[in-house]
Amino acid sequence: MLVLPAELTHAQAGACLGMLVQALRRDPDALVVADASATTVFDSSALAVLLGCRREALALGKGFVVRGLHERLASLAQLYGVGELLPAQS
């Protein structure tokens, strides 16, 4: 499971994505779960981080889902037309 930080803005995005991708590559599970439930301070860079994790997961042949996506961030994803790329964990 990938755990996103409480704050994920442009200032943290690059370092955060790098750490999450490293963790994702070490994870033997076939399904990557990105836990965004603690992320309450964010901008559109949070979407870029999630999409980067998704891209890496798919490149490794893994599935990708998001848990606890904040309602405002989910709305932003829909506005940008990428909501369907960040499926919620069922």
Side-chain angles (χ1 to χ4, degrees):
M1 179 179 310
L2 305 177
V3 179
L4 277 68
E7 182 174 338
L8 184 49
T9 62
H10 180 73
Q12 300 89 14
C16 181
L17 179 59
M19 289 186 293
L20 292 173
V21 165
Q22 286 180 1
L24 188 155
R25 290 178 180 161
R26 289 190 306 267
D27 189 345
D29 292 338
L31 178 65
V32 175
V33 177
D35 185 355
S37 58
T39 307
T40 56
V41 177
F42 53 83
D43 61 18
S44 61
S45 298
L47 291 177
V49 169
L50 286 168
L51 292 170
C53 290
R54 177 187 181 273
R55 182 175 46 251
E56 185 66 24
L58 296 180
L60 295 171
K62 300 179 179 195
F64 182 80
V65 295
V66 180
R67 177 193 307 177
L69 191 62
H70 193 283
E71 185 178 312
R72 288 189 341 247
L73 192 54
S75 294
L76 191 59
Q78 291 300 324
L79 177 68
Y80 289 152
V82 297
E84 67 279 354
L85 300 178
L86 302 172
Q89 182 183 30
S90 53

